Amino acid sequence: EGLNPEELTRVINSFLTPMTDVILRNEGAVDKYIGDCIMAFWNAPLDIASHGKQAIRAALQMREELNALNARFKSEAKLTGLKKVKIKAGIGLNSGLCCVGNMGSDQKFNYSALGDTVNIASRLEALSPAYRLDLVIGEETAAAAPDFALLEIDQVQVKGKAVPIRIYTGVGDERMAATAEFRRLKDIHDRMLAAYRGQDWAAAADAAEQCRS
């Protein structure tokens, strides 16, 4: 609400352009823009064998691009006196069967994806503010990247699903996963989750504090 239409257009285009570049660079297909949201998918129309990894890799790169964009906005605001803008974004990733093809009406159709898998991806993205994370990954996508630096967040029952699903977040790629620092973090984080689920609150709080350090 603090931006006029011209400023808003500049900000949104400045955001969508580098994010789209990242998706395309990692073999993704942009489905559509919904306001300031991008819907994208992998493994259609062309088969992408490592589509789960490519999606996570794109999300990690989008995080880096957004940091660079916010730094640029900050510099521009100092130089020009324009309103300072800082963008936060949440990403939801999910994998599974869905229907992909030309869909719509007799008057207009788009090449898009529909199905429960797509709905869950949207639900996961909506969870990002609650966990204060910019990336929420479904278990099937996480399973496709066992060599990435991923951490389990929780088990959740998303809207429209009867069975809880495990959700994860991404810290980094294969290089990050190979570091001693990440292995130590993951070990403590896993102990924290186990203590939490065992209702050992003191041990969970202690492990959480170690994770923060």
Side-chain angles (χ1 to χ4, degrees), residues 47-198:
D47 291 344
I48 308 294
S50 58
H51 54 84
K53 283 187 177 183
Q54 291 295 81
I56 298 174
R57 201 182 303 280
L60 296 173
Q61 292 174 14
M62 290 168 86
R63 176 187 289 161
E64 294 175 2
E65 289 286 347
L66 186 56
N67 288 336
L69 179 62
N70 281 323
R72 196 184 99 199
F73 283 154
K74 185 177 181 181
S75 297
E76 288 177 351
K78 282 184 178 179
L79 290 171
T80 64
L82 291 171
K83 183 178 177 65
K84 183 181 174 183
V85 175
K86 183 175 182 180
I87 294 178
K88 294 182 179 181
I91 301 172
L93 298 177
N94 192 43
S95 300
L97 293 174
C98 57
C99 181
V100 183
N102 289 326
M103 302 172 199
S105 64
D106 290 343
Q107 294 86 355
K108 180 179 174 61
F109 58 76
N110 293 308
Y111 184 79
S112 188
L114 293 175
D116 192 47
T117 297
V118 182
N119 295 339
I120 292 175
S122 177
R123 305 292 186 205
L124 297 183
E125 185 274 326
L127 287 174
S128 60
Y131 288 94
R132 300 189 181 186
L133 294 167
D134 60 358
L135 175 57
V136 181
I137 306 169
E139 53 189 314
E140 287 195 43
T141 310
D147 53 342
F148 275 40
L150 307 182
L151 295 175
E152 183 178 347
I153 307 168
D154 206 350
Q155 285 180 285
V156 297
Q157 188 170 342
V158 296
K159 185 178 178 181
K161 297 291 288 183
V163 179
I165 62 171
R166 293 181 186 272
I167 55 174
Y168 299 77
T169 194
V171 179
D173 59 14
E174 307 97 324
R175 291 167 297 177
M176 174 68 76
T179 64
E181 291 85 356
F182 175 74
R183 289 196 296 269
R184 174 167 162 72
L185 171 63
K186 188 174 188 310
D187 177 62
I188 300 170
H189 181 86
D190 289 347
R191 283 195 276 118
M192 178 195 70
L193 271 184
Y196 171 74
R197 288 168 178 164

Side-chain angles (χ1 to χ4, degrees), residues 1-73:
E1 65 182 10
L3 300 174
N4 64 41
E6 185 180 50
E7 291 169 336
L8 179 61
T9 299
R10 179 184 65 86
V11 168
I12 294 300
N13 289 350
S14 297
F15 168 70
L16 294 177
T17 298
M19 300 300 124
T20 300
D21 284 341
V22 169
I23 292 166
L24 298 178
R25 192 164 65 234
N26 287 280
E27 303 180 283
V30 173
D31 182 314
K32 61 175 71 74
Y33 300 114
I34 311 164
D36 60 358
C37 172
I38 305 173
M39 177 177 168
F41 52 78
W42 277 255
N43 208 35
L46 301 176
D47 291 344
I48 308 294
S50 58
H51 54 84
K53 283 187 177 183
Q54 291 295 81
I56 298 174
R57 201 182 303 280
L60 296 173
Q61 292 174 14
M62 290 168 86
R63 176 187 289 161
E64 294 175 2
E65 289 286 347
L66 186 56
N67 288 336
L69 179 62
N70 281 323
R72 196 184 99 199
F73 283 154

